[in-house]
């Protein structure tokens, strides 16, 4: 659904810069360019005994734009559940837009969220959490909040194992493992107790903000590659990239790591579909 930072790519400030110094944002303004990135999010299409369920991880502030692009393109209609990694705007800012689904497609949507993040939602989305404050006749998203902790839980018949990580000093975020797929979108440090949960990972989808270094809240590409070497997944897709990460140039560099180290690593992109067995 999206593979970019909170502010998205292209940046308005780059496109309006008369010097046009940002090559990546200029490319991202072109239709279909893989440098165009909205808030990081994935949608899991999971076959159940009653049909196909669509499980969304995060609905950030650009969710509407991602849904507008990919739901019609891939024949998606329902959102059968939303799982929240953390309570920053790029993960929960689009909860209000879910009203289109609960008003016109389905009665409600369950939201799986940690207690600490639900407490934030009580402030940022108070009118959705407590609909008694809504003006009579007004329509808001009908969301059913389900509190999770760091133990495994089941959504639409699919088991999810939380992958606790640090997203800046003292700030807890959750990755999730479903089947042999491990998804860690926002991370600055992986605690030692989380590594056993990553064992025998087939596909790792992980944060890699910038090409040169890490920030206080996100892995940069060098640190992300260190973690790949430690975790040893069969395949890695990086996500959460900022405008310093040129899709073609970075992927060309990463392809060389297959030749030199046997590392199967690439940048993901908005709209990427990956067939998996769960």
């Amino acid at each position: 659904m999206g593979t970019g930072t909170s502010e998205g790519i292209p940046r308005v400030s780059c496109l309006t810069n008369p010097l046009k110094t940002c090559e990546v944002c200029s490319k991202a303004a072109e239709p279909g360019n893989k440098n165009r990135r909205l808030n990081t999010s994935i949608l899991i299409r999971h076959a159940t005994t009653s049909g196909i369920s669509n499980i969304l991880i995060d609905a950030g502030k650009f969710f509407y734009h991602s849904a507008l692009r990919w739901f019609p393109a891939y024949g998606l209609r329902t959102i059968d559940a939303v799982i929240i990694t953390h309570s920053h705007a790029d993960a929960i800012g689009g909860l209000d837009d879910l009203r289109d689904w609960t008003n016109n497609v389905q009665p409600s949507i369950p939201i799986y969220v940690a207690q600490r993040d639900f407490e934030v939602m009580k402030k940022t989305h108070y009118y959705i959490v407590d609909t008694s404050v809504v003006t009579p006749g007004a329509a808001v998203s009908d969301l059913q909040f389900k509190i999770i902790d760091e133990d495994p839980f089941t959504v639409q018949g699919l088991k999810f194992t939380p992958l606790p990580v640090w997203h800046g000093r003292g700030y807890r975020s959750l990755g999730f493992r479903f089947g042999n797929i491990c998804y860690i979108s926002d991370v600055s440090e992986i605690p030692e107790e989380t590594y056993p949960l990553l064992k025998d990972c087939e596909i790792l989808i992980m944060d890699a903000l910038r090409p040169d270094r890490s920030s206080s809240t996100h892995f940069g590409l060098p640190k992300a590659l260190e973690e790949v070497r430690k975790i040893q997944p069969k395949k890695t897709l990086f996500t959460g990239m900022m405008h310093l990460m040129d899709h073609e140039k970075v992927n060309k560099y990463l392809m060389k790591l297959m030749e030199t180290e046997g590392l199967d690593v690439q940048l993901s992109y908005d709209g990427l579909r990956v067939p998996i067995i769960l």
Side-chain angles (χ1 to χ4, degrees):
M1 295 296 292
T3 59
T5 57
S6 181
E7 60 193 354
I9 300 169
R11 290 181 178 180
V12 175
S13 60
C14 290
L15 296 184
T16 57
N17 185 344
L19 299 179
K20 302 296 180 185
T21 55
C22 183
E23 183 180 2
V24 172
C25 284
S26 294
K27 289 180 180 179
E30 302 168 359
N33 190 277
K34 290 179 179 177
N35 286 300
R36 186 175 185 86
R37 306 177 185 124
L38 299 180
N39 294 162
T40 297
S41 171
I42 63 170
L43 188 139
I44 305 158
R45 304 199 74 186
H46 171 52
T48 68
T49 55
S50 57
I52 301 294
S53 66
N54 298 317
I55 303 170
L56 181 70
I57 298 184
D58 287 341
K61 56 187 181 179
F62 298 146
F63 169 71
Y64 166 79
H65 301 281
S66 294
L68 190 65
R69 177 68 181 89
W70 304 118
F71 270 61
Y74 290 151
L76 303 167
R77 181 159 173 81
T78 63
I79 299 176
D80 298 291
V82 179
I83 303 173
I84 301 298
T85 60
H86 67 301
S87 53
H88 287 167
D90 57 348
I92 66 171
L95 292 177
D96 186 78
D97 293 317
L98 298 180
R99 71 173 70 184
D100 189 20
W101 280 262
T102 61
N103 289 348
N104 302 304
V105 178
Q106 59 198 87
S108 63
I109 300 174
I111 309 294
Y112 293 80
V113 57
Q115 183 68 49
R116 59 181 172 271
D117 299 312
F118 184 56
E119 294 302 319
V120 174
M121 290 179 184
K122 288 179 179 179
K123 300 175 182 178
T124 60
H125 294 79
Y126 65 94
Y127 58 96
I128 297 177
V129 174
D130 179 9
T131 56
S132 68
V133 304
V134 177
T135 302
V140 299
S141 307
D142 189 345
L143 309 180
Q144 307 299 317
F145 295 96
K146 298 181 181 295
I147 303 302
I148 61 172
D149 51 28
E150 296 183 354
D151 294 321
F153 59 98
T154 300
V155 178
Q156 296 289 311
L158 183 61
K159 178 184 175 182
F160 286 83
T161 299
L163 304 171
V165 296
W166 296 113
H167 179 28
R169 186 174 180 180
Y171 187 90
R172 198 77 150 176
S173 183
L174 294 177
F176 296 98
R177 179 171 185 150
F178 48 99
N180 288 328
I181 314 301
C182 297
Y183 179 76
I184 305 176
S185 61
D186 294 78
V187 55
S188 58
E189 182 182 351
I190 300 177
E192 284 300 320
E193 61 269 23
T194 297
Y195 284 107
L197 303 174
L198 299 168
K199 188 177 180 181
D200 299 324
C201 176
E202 295 273 343
I203 299 176
L204 173 65
I205 305 168
M206 191 169 66
D207 194 7
L209 177 69
R210 53 186 297 154
D212 49 354
R213 59 177 176 81
S214 297
S215 72
S216 61
T217 52
H218 293 274
F219 284 162
L221 186 59
K223 175 63 174 174
L225 287 170
E226 284 182 23
E227 295 295 337
V228 169
R229 295 180 182 104
K230 184 173 183 177
I231 297 167
Q232 297 186 325
K234 289 187 177 179
K235 181 180 182 65
T236 300
L237 294 167
F238 291 128
T239 193
M241 290 82 67
M242 69 181 299
H243 72 153
L244 297 179
M245 296 279 269
D246 185 292
H247 184 84
E248 291 185 3
K249 291 181 179 179
V250 175
N251 268 351
K252 188 175 181 179
Y253 159 70
L254 293 175
M255 287 180 66
K256 295 178 181 178
L257 298 181
M258 172 63 82
E259 301 171 6
T260 58
E261 299 184 50
L263 291 183
D264 187 349
V265 288
Q266 290 281 277
L267 299 189
S268 55
Y269 55 88
D270 291 24
L272 172 65
R273 290 191 294 179
V274 182
I276 58 175
I277 297 174
L278 295 173

